Amino acid sequence: MVHETLRYRSLATLVESLGQAGFVVAEVWGDWDREELAEDSPEIIILAQKLPDPPSEEPQAAE
């Protein structure tokens, strides 16, 4: 028998992790019906968008 442990993360931790990965949170819901997130919500559903990469700071070639 294989035992697996699930690890639950808080909303704050999820938002922080997404930010560190270059995402911004657009919406948060408490279930798949898009109900408002509450303390007793069965899920944390997050809609996140990837932020554009900043322009590179490579030196420009002389003409």
Side-chain angles (χ1 to χ4, degrees):
M1 178 183 278
V2 175
H3 293 277
E4 294 185 19
T5 302
L6 293 176
R7 200 173 78 170
Y8 296 94
R9 301 172 77 193
S10 69
L11 178 59
T13 301
L14 292 167
V15 171
E16 180 181 354
S17 296
L18 286 165
Q20 290 173 350
F23 287 82
V24 63
V25 173
E27 299 274 351
V28 177
W29 300 289
D31 62 26
W32 291 104
D33 293 325
R34 297 184 177 187
E35 294 293 327
E36 186 174 327
L37 181 65
E39 196 168 305
D40 61 345
S41 294
E43 309 282 349
I44 299 176
I45 311 299
I46 299 174
L47 174 64
Q49 182 176 10
K50 178 78 170 142
L51 294 171
D53 291 330
S56 63
E57 296 183 19
E58 295 179 16
Q60 295 190 5
E63 293 183 25

